[in-house]
Amino acid sequence: MKFLKVEDFRSIRGPAGVSLDAPAVLIHGPNGTGKTSLLSSIELALTGSVPSLARLDRDYMAYLPHKLAKNGLGRVSIQGEGVGSKTEASLEINGQAIVGSALLDGDQSRFYLERCYLAQVTLGRLLEIYEHQDNRDTASPLTRFVKEMLGLDALDSLIDGLHAAGDVRRFRESAPHFWAARADAPMLERGVDEATEIEQACRDEMIKTENDLRELLGPQFVADGPIDIEALRAVVKSDIEERETKLADLARIRRDLAAAKAQLLEASTSEEEGERIAAEQVSSATRDAFARWRSVAGQQLEVLLRSIQKKFTDVVSVDVSPATAHAKALAIVSSALSRAQTALTNDDEIIRSLSGAQVSVQQGQGRLKLIDEQLADAGGANRALAEALATISSHIENEICPVCSRNFAEISEEQLASHVSEEVARLVAVAGRVEALVRDRATTAAAVVATQRQEADLFARRLPNDRRDAILLELADLTEWMNALDSLADAASNGGRLWEEAKQAAERLSVLRSRISSISGLRAELVSYGQRLSLQPFPADVPLEEIVDEILTQVQYRSAQEAKSGDQGDRALRLLDKLEVNQRELDNATIDLATAFEDERRTTALRQESERRIAVAKGLLAQAQAVRADEARRVFNKELNAVWRDLFIRLAPDEAFVPAFALPSIPGRAVEAVLETHYRSGGKGGNPRAMLSAGNLNTAALTLFLGLHLSVSPALPWLVLDDPVQSMDDVHIAQFAALLRTLKQHGRQIIIAVHDRQLFDYLTLELSPTYNGDRLITIELGRDSDGMTTAPWSLMSFRPDRAIAA
C-alpha cells in the first residue's frame, strides 16, 4: 500500500490524506479521533465492504458517511502495487450503497479479511469466532483454514473413487473378458516367443550396424530415429567432396601465414617494435584492471547513477569517467537535498508564524468585543451636555429651574445648584472614559487588520499539502542517494584513476601502431583469416605474433581433422551397404511376428491392462491414505503448532499453558480443527478460553492470527492490527515489539493503530529505520477548532550515525 485518501468517512470529517509507503506505519490518536475509521477505510478500499462492522450491525452501511458530510457522501481511495495489474481504487459511499470497485479480487479480499486484518472488536472474540460452527455447515472457520492448507478435499475424493481397487472380484461386472483372457494367454504367448526370437536376431544385427554408423558419423549426420539410407549416402558423398575443397583452402592459408610470420620476424628486430609490444602489454593490463573494477564496485556505482538519472537527467554515466560521474551526481543530489530541506524548514517557520497570527487575531477580536460591550454600558455619556449644564448653572438663583421653570424643591430636598453641579461632574468623568475606550478600540482594530493581512500572506506562502508530501518523499530518496554516494566515494576515485590509466595507455599504443607502416595492413589481413575460420575477434592490443600463431595452430588442427574425416566417409559408405541388407531381412521377420502377435494381442491386452490398472489403483489408494495422514500430522505439528507455539512463547514466556491444535485422527473420519493447551512440563490441558488469563488469551488469539498468516505463502504481505496490545503487560508489549521488528525485516508491511501515547512513542523507537532503504511513517490523528479531522504524517528514513562511523 502506498497512499490513502479519506473524506467524510465514519468519524473522519473532511479530507485527510496519509502516505503508507513504508515497511511500518504507526497510527496514534485519542479515542474518537478516527483510528479505527482509518483502518476501516483501508478495509473498504481493498475489499469493497467493511465486514468487521457487518458482524456488529447488518445496517452498518447507513453509518459509513460522516453525519456532517457534504451531500451525505463519503469517499475513500487507495494506491498500491504488487497485487495484480490494478494499482488504484476509488469508492464512494452514500449511506445505501458503495459505488466503485475495490483494489483486490475475491480470493485476495478473503485472504486480507481472514489473514491480514485484525480489527479491535475481533481480537477479544477471535478464538470464539474461529471455533464457532454454523448450523448449516459443520466446519468452523478454523477447520476451513486447516483444510485449505492440507488440500484434504482432493485427497478424500481420490480415496472414494479408488474404493473398487480393494478387491479384484468387484471388476467381474465391469470387465467380463478379463477371466477368459487369463486362460488363453499361455498358448498364444509361445507362438509369439518363437517369432520374436527370429525378429529380434535380425533387429539386433541391424541395430549393431546402425550403432556403428552413428558412432562413426556422429549426431550431426545421423539423428535419432530411422535412418534414410539413400539420403544419408548422398550426404556422405557430398561431405567427402566438401572436405577435399576445405583441405585445399587450408593449405593456401597456411602458406600465407608462413609469409606473414616471416614479415613480423623482420619487423620485430627494430627498437620501435619493442616499444609497441610493451605498450600493448600495458594497455591490456590497464584495461583488465578497469574491467575488474567495473564488474564489482563499478556495477554498484552504475546501478546507483541509473537510479538517480531517472530524476536528474544531468547525471552522467561511468563511461565518461567514474570520478567525474560520481562528483557530478554528488553535487546534484547534495544541491537538491539542500533545497528540499530549506523548503521544509521555511514551511515549518511559516506554519509556526501562521499559528501565532491566528492566535493574535482571535485575541484582538475578543478585546474588540469587550470594548464594544463597555461602550454600550456607557451610553448617555455626553461632554457637550455637561458643558451646557455648566453654562446654565450660572443662571440658577433659587430652586426654580431656568429651563423648565419647575420648582426643584417639590421633588427633592437637595438644592438645584448642588444637583446640577454633581450631574456636570458625573457627565465629564464618564465622557473621558468613553474617549479612552474609543481610542483603545481604534488601536486594537488597526492591529487586528494588520495581523489578518499578515495571516493571509503567510497562508498564501504555505506549501500545499500534496507538495509538502511530495517533498517529504523526495527528501527520503535524496537522503538514501547521499548515503550510497558517500559509501562509494573511494570506489569512484579508484575507478577514475584506473579509467585514466587505461585511456592514456590506449592513446600511447595507438601512436606507436601508427608509426609501424610496414605492417599496417597485416592486422586487417589476419582478422580476415580469423573470420573465415570463425574464430573469436582478437582485441586490438593483442600482439600480431600471437594472432599469427593462434590462426596457424587452428589451420593445422583443422587440416588434420578434415583428413581424418575423409577416411571415415569411405567406411561409412561400406556400412550403409550392409545396413541396406539388414533392413530387408528385418522386414521379412517383422511380417511373420506381426501375424503371431495379432492373435495373441487381442486376448492378452485386456488381461494385462486390467491387472496393471488394479495394481496402480491399489498402490495409489495406499499412497493417498498415507499422504493424507502424513500431511495432516506434518501441517499440525511442524507448521501450525510449531509457528503458533514459537509466537506465543515469545510474547508470553512465563505462561505455563501453551495453546495448540489437537492432532486429528485421520482414518475413517473428516478432519476437524480443535484447540487445546499443553503444559510446558508435559501433558495436555483444556481449551485456551478455560485455561488462560484474559491477557494471555488475547495473546493466544493474536499469535494464532499471526501464525495462520505465516503458515502459508502470503498472497498479500500486509498485517493491519487495531490496538493489538489489549490487556498486555510491559513484558508482553516488549516481546510483541521485537516480533513486529522481525516481521518487518522479512518482507511484511505492518500497519498498527494505538491510542496510548507512551506505547506509540515506544513502538516508534522500536520500529525506527535500521538500514538504508528502511522507512517508518507515523500518523497522529486529531481535530482542529472547527471539528475537522487532522492527519499529519511524518516519514523517518535511515540516517547513519556519523559519530560511531568516525
Side-chain angles (χ1 to χ4, degrees):
M1 291 180 278
K2 296 296 183 181
F3 202 89
L4 175 69
K5 291 183 179 180
V6 185
E7 181 177 359
D8 293 331
F9 179 78
R10 296 193 68 198
S11 63
I12 297 177
R13 183 183 176 191
V18 294
S19 175
L20 305 177
D21 189 8
V25 179
L26 292 180
I27 304 171
H28 171 259
N31 289 330
T33 53
K35 298 186 300 299
T36 301
S37 298
L38 195 65
L39 298 185
S40 297
S41 68
I42 295 176
E43 182 181 12
L44 175 63
L46 293 178
T47 67
S49 62
V50 192
S52 60
L53 297 179
R55 299 192 190 102
L56 306 177
D57 188 352
R58 61 183 179 181
D59 298 326
Y60 76 98
M61 198 176 299
Y63 311 113
L64 292 183
H66 193 278
K67 62 181 179 180
L68 299 179
K70 298 177 182 179
N71 301 322
L73 296 177
R75 295 179 177 86
V76 174
S77 66
I78 195 168
Q79 296 176 0
E81 63 181 13
V83 292
S85 59
K86 193 172 183 180
T87 59
E88 186 173 355
S90 298
L91 299 97
E92 186 177 89
I93 311 97
N94 58 21
Q96 297 179 347
I98 298 174
V99 181
S101 59
L103 186 65
L104 304 179
D105 58 24
D107 292 338
Q108 290 177 331
S109 295
R110 183 174 62 84
F111 187 92
Y112 174 82
L113 296 172
E114 295 179 349
R115 309 290 179 88
C116 296
Y117 178 42
L118 183 58
Q120 182 178 3
V121 296
T122 305
L123 178 59
R125 300 180 55 245
L126 187 66
L127 297 183
E128 177 185 349
I129 293 173
Y130 275 2
E131 286 193 300
H132 174 71
Q133 293 183 347
D134 195 323
N135 292 331
R136 295 166 298 176
D137 185 1
T138 58
S140 66
L142 197 58
T143 299
R144 292 200 306 272
F145 296 161
V146 173
K147 281 193 173 183
E148 179 181 345
M149 297 179 65
L150 293 175
L152 291 183
D153 291 340
L155 281 174
D156 290 342
S157 299
L158 179 61
I159 292 172
D160 292 342
L162 295 175
H163 172 70
D167 191 340
V168 70
R169 291 172 294 182
R170 297 170 186 163
F171 291 100
R172 288 182 181 272
E173 295 181 359
S174 59
H177 299 289
F178 174 69
W179 307 105
R182 294 179 65 183
D184 297 340
M187 178 184 65
L188 296 174
E189 289 177 355
R190 285 194 297 273
V192 171
D193 291 340
E194 295 175 356
T196 300
E197 291 177 358
I198 298 174
E199 191 267 348
Q200 188 60 45
C202 296
R203 186 177 301 278
D204 291 342
E205 183 63 22
M206 179 178 174
I207 290 175
K208 182 179 181 302
T209 304
E210 288 180 347
N211 290 339
D212 293 340
L213 192 60
R214 285 189 171 92
E215 182 179 358
L216 178 65
L217 297 179
Q220 67 272 24
F221 284 98
V222 187
D224 293 337
I227 297 176
D228 187 340
I229 297 175
E230 293 301 325
L232 184 57
R233 182 181 284 113
V235 170
V236 171
K237 290 181 178 180
S238 175
D239 183 69
I240 292 174
E241 295 174 357
E242 182 179 354
R243 291 183 186 280
E244 290 175 354
T245 302
K246 288 182 179 180
L247 282 171
D249 187 43
L250 290 171
R252 286 192 296 271
I253 293 175
R254 188 165 54 248
R255 289 193 300 270
D256 294 340
L257 289 175
K261 192 169 184 179
Q263 184 180 359
L264 286 174
L265 182 61
E266 180 181 356
S268 64
T269 58
S270 66
E271 180 179 354
E272 196 170 58
E273 177 63 19
E275 293 180 7
R276 179 189 64 80
I277 294 173
E280 287 177 342
Q281 294 174 350
V282 172
S283 177
S284 178
T286 55
R287 187 179 65 250
D288 291 343
F290 181 72
R292 289 192 297 272
W293 176 89
R294 183 74 177 267
S295 64
V296 183
Q299 180 68 21
Q300 299 176 1
L301 180 59
E302 189 170 4
V303 171
L304 176 60
L305 292 178
R306 282 201 297 268
S307 177
I308 299 175
Q309 281 177 339
K310 295 179 181 178
K311 183 171 183 64
F312 303 106
T313 57
D314 292 343
V315 175
V316 298
S317 171
V318 295
D319 293 331
V320 175
S321 170
T324 302
H326 179 272
K328 189 172 183 64
L330 186 62
I332 292 174
V333 173
S334 177
S335 177
L337 180 62
S338 177
R339 290 196 300 272
Q341 291 173 338
T342 301
L344 287 178
T345 302
N346 293 339
D347 192 53
D348 291 338
E349 182 63 29
I350 291 173
I351 291 173
R352 287 193 293 271
S353 300
L354 180 61
S355 177
Q358 290 173 341
V359 172
S360 297
V361 169
Q362 292 176 355
Q363 292 175 348
Q365 291 175 343
R367 180 165 181 78
L368 288 175
K369 181 178 180 182
L370 180 61
I371 292 174
D372 289 339
E373 292 175 353
Q374 292 176 350
L375 286 174
D377 294 339
N382 194 322
R383 183 176 292 275
L385 178 60
E387 293 175 351
L389 289 176
T391 302
I392 292 173
S393 63
S394 62
H395 298 281
I396 298 175
E397 297 178 353
N398 50 29
E399 300 302 318
I400 301 301
C401 177
V403 178
C404 63
S405 302
R406 291 182 61 187
N407 188 355
F408 187 68
E410 294 177 358
I411 61 175
S412 175
E413 296 179 355
E414 184 181 8
Q415 293 181 356
L416 178 59
S418 176
H419 175 71
V420 171
S421 297
E422 291 177 357
E423 185 66 17
V424 169
R426 186 187 69 80
L427 289 174
V428 170
V430 173
R433 184 166 173 266
V434 168
E435 289 177 355
L437 288 173
V438 169
R439 286 194 300 272
D440 191 5
R441 189 184 189 285
T443 302
T444 304
V448 168
V449 171
T451 307
Q452 286 177 334
R453 286 198 297 270
Q454 181 186 8
E455 178 186 4
D457 179 64
L458 290 171
F459 192 82
R461 290 163 52 199
R462 181 184 177 185
L463 288 175
N465 290 336
D466 55 349
R467 176 56 182 161
R468 182 179 175 88
D469 294 345
I471 292 177
L472 283 171
L473 295 174
E474 179 185 7
L475 186 60
D477 291 336
L478 291 172
T479 301
E480 293 171 0
W481 288 341
M482 280 294 295
N483 294 338
L485 286 170
D486 289 342
S487 66
L488 292 174
D490 293 339
S493 177
N494 186 37
R497 178 181 57 80
L498 294 174
W499 180 86
E500 187 65 28
E501 291 175 354
K503 177 183 176 184
Q504 294 177 358
E507 292 175 351
R508 172 63 178 164
L509 179 60
S510 177
V511 170
L512 290 174
R513 284 177 175 169
S514 64
R515 296 175 184 172
I516 306 175
S517 59
S518 62
I519 58 172
S520 59
L522 183 57
R523 180 175 292 272
E525 183 179 357
L526 294 177
V527 169
S528 174
Y529 287 146
Q531 292 175 347
R532 290 172 60 183
L533 296 174
S534 301
L535 299 180
Q536 291 292 332
F538 296 95
D541 55 351
V542 175
L544 294 178
E545 291 84 355
E546 294 182 12
I547 297 177
V548 171
D549 291 339
E550 176 65 22
I551 297 177
L552 189 58
T553 300
Q554 286 293 326
V555 169
Q556 293 172 348
Y557 172 78
R558 295 189 184 187
S559 297
Q561 291 295 318
E562 296 295 340
K564 180 180 179 181
S565 298
D567 296 336
Q568 292 177 347
D570 295 335
R571 184 183 173 194
L573 292 176
R574 293 193 295 272
L575 287 174
L576 285 172
D577 294 337
K578 181 180 179 182
L579 181 61
E580 191 173 15
V581 175
N582 295 151
Q583 182 66 58
R584 288 195 297 270
E585 294 175 350
L586 178 61
D587 291 341
N588 295 331
T590 301
I591 294 174
D592 296 337
L593 176 61
T595 303
F597 181 77
E598 181 63 23
D599 295 335
E600 187 266 346
R601 184 192 61 80
R602 287 192 298 268
T603 57
T604 59
L606 291 175
R607 175 181 59 83
Q608 293 175 349
E609 180 63 19
S610 299
E611 291 175 347
R612 186 191 66 82
R613 292 186 181 185
I614 291 172
V616 170
K618 286 182 178 180
L620 186 58
L621 177 62
Q623 291 177 4
Q625 291 173 339
V627 166
R628 183 174 67 175
D630 293 343
E631 183 67 10
R633 293 188 182 94
R634 182 187 65 80
V635 170
F636 272 80
N637 287 335
K638 294 184 179 180
E639 294 186 8
L640 289 178
N641 281 341
V643 173
W644 191 8
R645 178 184 178 87
D646 180 61
L647 294 176
F648 181 79
I649 290 177
R650 287 186 65 176
L651 298 188
D654 297 329
E655 174 60 55
F657 298 96
V658 178
F661 290 91
L663 184 63
S665 178
I666 296 299
R669 63 185 181 89
V671 170
E672 181 177 357
V674 180
L675 300 182
E676 61 184 12
T677 56
H678 294 168
Y679 293 97
R680 292 216 184 169
S681 58
K684 295 183 179 181
N687 189 278
R689 287 181 285 168
M691 305 301 293
L692 301 178
S693 63
N696 283 340
L697 190 60
N698 282 343
T699 301
L702 177 61
T703 52
L704 174 57
F705 179 83
L706 295 176
L708 292 175
H709 177 85
L710 298 174
S711 295
V712 296
S713 298
L716 302 171
W718 307 321
L719 274 175
V720 182
L721 308 176
D722 188 2
D723 205 3
V725 294
Q726 303 172 35
S727 303
M728 283 191 185
D729 56 23
D730 293 343
V731 175
H732 287 68
I733 292 175
Q735 296 292 339
F736 179 62
L739 176 60
L740 292 179
R741 190 166 58 249
T742 301
L743 292 175
K744 182 186 72 167
Q745 294 172 352
H746 284 77
R748 261 67 176 187
Q749 183 185 24
I750 303 169
I751 301 177
I752 302 177
V754 296
H755 75 278
D756 183 77
R757 182 68 197 191
Q758 293 181 348
L759 176 60
F760 174 77
D761 293 338
Y762 173 73
L763 291 178
T764 300
L765 179 62
E766 288 291 330
L767 298 179
S768 59
T770 58
Y771 54 88
N772 196 33
D774 190 13
R775 299 182 182 183
L776 170 66
I777 290 179
T778 58
I779 303 170
E780 298 198 46
L781 297 175
R783 299 191 186 279
D784 61 14
S785 58
D786 296 329
M788 304 295 286
T789 298
T790 60
W793 59 276
S794 300
L795 186 148
M796 296 174 58
S797 57
F798 173 70
R799 294 179 181 273
D801 192 332
R802 300 299 182 186
I804 296 177

